[in-house]
Amino acid sequence: MRLSARVDYALRAAAELASVADGAAAGRTRPVTAEQIARAQEIPPKFLESILLQLRRSGIVHAQRGPEGGYWLARPAAEISLAEVIRVIDGPLAHVRGQRPEQLGYQGAARALQDVWIALRASEREILELVTIADVASGSLPGRINDLAADPSAWS
């Protein structure tokens, strides 16, 4: 699986916004500027602005202009999965040559590849929908994720 820099930056920005929300009192958190997010996560500011615009248009973040302006999560971080952010930024989770796996028309000896791609997408979806932005921001990942990451073969 390859994740674009845009996805990586979007997930890091969302986690940064979640960490601010966790430290705030009940209710809406204070807006965080794109500059603050960029600095905290070492993301190129201009690149981040376009990513935040996509996240705002999709309803993942809210924005406010002005001297007290900035960004904040539109809903609790525990309700925003990594899969949702990835889909907003890069589209569907698994494509083969730009097509959804169920749309492929493999023939003969390669026919089983379609099932492999569908299973791969299901596996990705299972993990990416299980993990939320809150999990990432808190550093407390679901047990299944910790088990997978702890397996030495996962690192090679």
Side-chain angles (χ1 to χ4, degrees):
M1 173 178 195
R2 290 182 188 209
L3 294 175
S4 68
R6 290 182 69 80
V7 165
D8 180 53
Y9 294 159
L11 293 170
R12 289 165 48 195
E16 191 66 30
L17 291 173
S19 72
V20 171
D22 283 347
R28 195 180 102 191
T29 64
R30 64 177 169 77
V32 180
T33 66
E35 183 180 307
Q36 290 170 315
I37 297 167
R39 198 173 325 112
Q41 290 298 317
E42 299 180 351
I43 299 172
K46 290 291 183 190
F47 205 22
L48 179 62
E49 285 286 351
S50 70
I51 291 167
L52 289 168
L53 179 61
Q54 275 184 278
L55 294 175
R56 185 182 61 76
R57 286 182 177 156
S58 70
I60 291 177
V61 301
H62 285 307
Q64 176 180 315
R65 294 180 183 253
E68 300 295 317
Y71 297 87
W72 65 95
L73 293 176
R75 56 187 197 276
E79 296 176 12
I80 304 169
S81 71
L82 301 188
E84 181 181 358
V85 175
I86 292 169
R87 285 183 188 111
V88 163
I89 300 299
D90 273 357
L93 294 180
H95 273 161
V96 178
R97 299 184 333 261
Q99 293 182 320
R100 297 173 59 89
E102 63 274 8
Q103 295 172 335
L104 299 171
Y106 291 120
Q107 303 299 315
R111 182 169 286 165
L113 278 175
Q114 184 175 30
D115 289 339
V116 172
W117 303 148
I118 290 170
L120 176 64
R121 180 183 59 192
S123 221
E124 286 179 355
R125 183 182 297 143
E126 177 186 359
I127 290 170
L128 295 172
E129 288 181 355
L130 175 65
V131 181
T132 67
I133 296 299
D135 297 329
V136 173
S138 70
S140 179
L141 299 173
R144 170 95 171 105
I145 304 306
N146 289 326
D147 292 345
L148 287 169
D151 181 352
S153 67
W155 291 84
S156 57

